[in-house]
Amino acid sequence: MTNPLLNTAAWSALGAHADATRKLHLRDLFAADPGRFASLSFEAEGMLLDYSKQRVTTETLGLLHDLWRAADVAGWQSRLAAGEAINHTEQRAVLHHALRHRGDSAVMHDGRDVMPDVRRVLDHIKSFCDAIHGRHWRGATGEPISDIVNIGIGGSDLGPRMATQALAAHRHRDVRVHYVANLDGADLATTLEQLQPRTTLFVVASKTFTTQETMQNAASARAWLVGALGEAAVERHFVAVSTNLKAVAAFGIDTANAFEFWDWVGGRFSLWSAIGLPLALAIGFDNFTRLLEGAAAMDRHFREAPLAENLPATLALLDVWNTNFLGAETHAVLPYSQSLGLLSRYLQQLEMESNGKQVGRDGQPLGHATCPVVWGEPGTNGQHAFYQLIHQGGRLIPCDFIAARHADFALPGHHEKLLSNCFAQSEALMRGKTLAEVQAELAAAATAVAPAPTFPLAPYKVFPGNQPSTTLLLQTIDPHTLGQLIALYEQKTFALGVLWNLNSFDQWGVEYGKQLAGRLLPIIEGKAPATGLDSSTAGLIAACKP
Ligand code: F6P
């Protein structure tokens, strides 16, 4: 066992408590305690967190708080803030919080304050936004830019893509921002179909500037542009975001048009860096600044708020409870907001790439479950697709419902219905419907003209309930609250990594597939013999031969 937490009194007490409370049903807990909402919800940073529909009692919370202290999360927060190389397998500090740090205090890395560099790049982003929005930046034919295409993948795509959609109500009206990630040429080709080379600017976003998907898409985009406007046009139509300025120059992008970031920014935490450039272009630099401020406010809250009213800590501890003590294997993220339509995809990378690991900080098997499978879709769409399984599929699926009190697009009649669905779903998941209730309902509905079915329908209509959920209620979806929301999940992810005693900041698990793809490519291209392959891989390659 490499997680010392497993040997603590807090962990054992939680195990015993889980056994003792396993049979409790949420509907009984609510019936027994009319004050349950008041004691198991709180408001902080303008957000309401209601976790009264989780399978917890105040005693559970007390034990989880003991666990938090035993894991010394506060100590790890200090190590992170001090710029220690807590990403020990890559010997890197984790300082993405510096990117949204406000005020004059230093953030130290290797004996040096990183803030002057952070501010320099922010100034560069601002002046570039001004140039594009003010129509001073002109393409090779002298026309202003109307369309920006971000070419990147993973953390160099998901964050700005998700936030651009989330903040559609705040977008700049004169430029459209598109995102291309997939190696499948259909992604780039269908994007380019809508565009004119004369008025299109590409942002090639890659921390390493070596990622196969991004380099292939960037090369194809370059060929498209050069085919229409000539080689000299590249300078006015391509900019880059990277830590690898040498590779940027080798690609033919003027490094004066490169936006730098640093190896202490992990890919999935890079939205706050120059990787946010397409977002800043989409919503304007002032709104981008508001997003950073929202995230900084959540960082402060995480550091300073007491445990019982700490948003990231509460979410993290509920995840540990559901995963390690109740045995949940998945976690659904269900925003009742079209704007947050890409949030679950974003959180998949944030949480699963960070904490989807079985080996502890000491390289030994952990011996307990870690990150659940994160998935979800916005409500109400999901209700008409997969909610059937959450209600009656018999699996434990903790859900995060996320909603805003006020709509970001205020069409009359929509928002009240949206909220009623959101709250109804968490109520139904909590209460369930018993056989007796179903039978009573059926009896009440039976009429002379609608005869009873020839078989008993009641068992099909029973809902077991007791499905745990948390509801997070924001005021609105705007740049500040979105910054808070993303940082909330980031900090939760960090805290979970500490509680699970793993390194949340490396991602060795994505390397093997890349390595094998590199070996298969020359075989598929017919440049190398198909030797040493298993019969399935050899068979699939043979089936693709012309
Ligand atoms: O999927 C692995 C990964 O390294 C992610 O962590 C990262 O966000 C993504 O690839 C893209 O990497 P890059 O920004 O270097 O192109």
Side-chain angles (χ1 to χ4, degrees):
M1 294 293 176
T2 57
N3 188 349
L5 214 53
L6 267 60
N7 298 323
T8 60
W11 189 280
S12 310
L14 275 162
H17 177 69
D19 290 342
T21 56
R22 209 172 296 282
K23 295 254 156 60
L24 292 181
H25 195 291
L26 279 167
R27 67 152 62 198
D28 299 325
L29 293 173
F30 271 94
D33 177 12
R36 186 171 166 85
F37 170 75
S39 50
L40 298 175
S41 69
F42 62 89
E43 188 137 10
E45 299 293 312
M47 293 182 184
L48 172 68
L49 185 76
D50 172 18
Y51 60 98
S52 59
K53 294 192 186 97
Q54 288 285 344
R55 288 195 205 169
V56 293
T57 61
T58 46
E59 189 191 346
T60 324
L61 260 289
L63 294 172
L64 287 168
H65 292 169
D66 290 344
L67 192 73
W68 181 270
R69 286 182 282 269
D72 187 27
V73 182
W76 283 97
Q77 283 176 287
S78 306
R79 268 165 240 157
L80 175 127
E84 268 184 41
I86 64 167
N87 176 0
H88 67 296
T89 60
E90 295 181 308
Q91 275 303 297
R92 286 182 186 162
V94 176
L95 287 175
H96 53 270
H97 57 93
L99 301 163
R100 59 226 192 185
H101 175 62
R102 320 309 291 169
D104 299 329
S105 55
V107 178
M108 302 303 286
H109 176 244
D110 278 346
R112 211 176 134 254
D113 180 12
V114 300
M115 288 312 297
D117 281 344
V118 169
R119 290 191 198 101
R120 174 176 52 78
V121 174
L122 273 175
D123 286 347
H124 191 186
I125 295 173
K126 180 179 182 331
S127 59
F128 191 68
C129 287
D130 289 347
I132 294 287
H133 295 149
R135 301 158 76 91
H136 311 308
W137 179 283
R138 299 280 165 145
T141 60
E143 287 166 77
I145 299 298
S146 60
D147 291 88
I148 315 280
V149 181
N150 189 74
I151 297 178
I153 197 162
S156 301
D157 166 75
L158 285 164
R161 186 196 286 260
M162 177 273 289
T164 299
Q165 177 170 324
L167 299 174
H170 302 265
R171 70 180 177 272
H172 199 282
R173 300 285 152 179
D174 294 340
V175 291
R176 287 175 297 276
V177 178
H178 314 261
Y179 289 88
V180 170
N182 203 316
L183 189 52
D184 184 340
D187 198 2
L188 181 67
T190 54
T191 305
L192 295 182
E193 263 171 21
Q194 317 159 43
L195 305 176
Q196 297 296 331
R198 302 181 324 271
T199 52
T200 299
L201 179 111
F202 295 94
V203 178
V204 184
S206 173
K207 181 174 169 179
T208 54
F209 228 74
T210 58
T211 303
Q212 186 188 44
E213 293 89 336
T214 301
M215 292 302 107
Q216 181 61 55
N217 278 322
S220 299
R222 193 180 197 281
W224 176 79
L225 182 93
V226 168
L229 301 178
E231 192 68 34
V234 171
E235 192 197 328
R236 303 306 296 166
H237 292 267
F238 273 84
V239 301
V241 181
S242 189
T243 59
N244 185 354
L245 297 187
K246 245 190 189 166
V248 170
F251 182 84
I253 297 177
D254 185 349
T255 48
N257 299 327
F259 297 79
E260 194 188 351
F261 66 114
W262 308 274
D263 70 3
W264 42 261
V265 185
R268 51 195 172 274
F269 303 92
S270 60
L271 166 67
W272 324 100
S273 73
I275 288 292
L277 177 68
L279 172 65
L281 289 165
I283 60 173
F285 186 77
D286 289 348
N287 279 328
F288 185 66
T289 304
R290 286 181 196 112
L291 179 93
L292 299 182
E293 286 166 356
M298 186 54 68
D299 290 346
R300 213 170 30 250
H301 165 84
F302 181 48
R303 277 194 314 271
E304 296 173 3
L307 208 39
E309 287 171 15
N310 194 304
L311 295 160
T314 306
L315 289 189
L317 288 169
L318 290 169
D319 270 20
V320 167
W321 173 245
N322 286 325
T323 304
N324 299 108
F325 296 95
L326 301 188
E329 291 183 337
T330 85
H331 187 149
V333 178
L334 308 168
Y336 276 66
S337 157
Q338 178 68 10
S339 303
L340 297 179
L342 296 176
L343 182 69
S344 59
R345 260 207 250 171
Y346 173 78
L347 295 180
Q348 283 178 330
Q349 190 200 15
L350 174 63
E351 299 195 33
M352 300 193 339
E353 197 166 85
S354 297
N355 290 337
K357 295 165 188 171
Q358 292 182 5
V359 166
R361 293 192 70 86
D362 60 359
Q364 299 299 313
L366 276 169
H368 63 72
T370 58
C371 189
V373 178
V374 178
W375 60 286
E377 274 291 312
T380 58
N381 307 19
Q383 288 174 208
H384 299 275
F386 53 78
Y387 276 43
Q388 163 65 37
L389 183 147
I390 310 183
H391 283 293
Q392 291 187 313
R395 291 172 194 273
L396 178 66
I397 303 178
C399 304
D400 283 5
F401 289 94
I402 303 171
R405 285 172 170 129
H406 307 288
D408 41 357
F409 288 91
L411 285 187
H414 288 248
H415 202 61
E416 296 77 6
K417 292 188 183 83
L418 188 67
L419 289 179
S420 69
N421 273 277
C422 177
F423 303 156
Q425 289 299 325
S426 70
E427 184 188 1
L429 289 173
M430 177 275 283
R431 286 178 52 79
K433 201 188 277 184
T434 64
L435 187 61
E437 285 171 335
V438 175
Q439 284 165 337
E441 251 182 37
L442 287 173
T447 64
V449 280
T454 51
F455 56 90
L457 199 50
Y460 303 91
K461 295 190 154 212
V462 169
F463 288 65
N466 212 20
Q467 193 75 285
S469 72
T470 296
T471 300
L472 186 66
L473 203 53
L474 281 58
Q475 289 295 345
T476 54
I477 311 287
D478 61 36
H480 186 89
T481 58
L482 183 71
Q484 289 177 301
L485 181 69
I486 302 168
L488 164 58
Y489 276 94
E490 271 187 4
Q491 300 292 18
K492 176 193 94 159
T493 302
F494 160 76
L496 280 167
V498 174
L499 290 156
W500 286 327
N501 193 36
L502 52 79
N503 179 2
S504 300
F505 302 101
D506 60 13
Q507 55 284 317
W508 301 108
V510 299
E511 295 302 323
Y512 189 35
K514 287 186 197 172
Q515 199 186 330
L516 291 190
R519 183 164 66 90
L520 296 186
L521 179 61
I523 302 174
I524 291 173
E525 288 174 334
K527 294 178 184 162
T531 49
L533 300 176
D534 64 82
S535 62
S536 165
T537 309
L540 291 168
I541 291 177
C544 291
K545 286 254 156 70

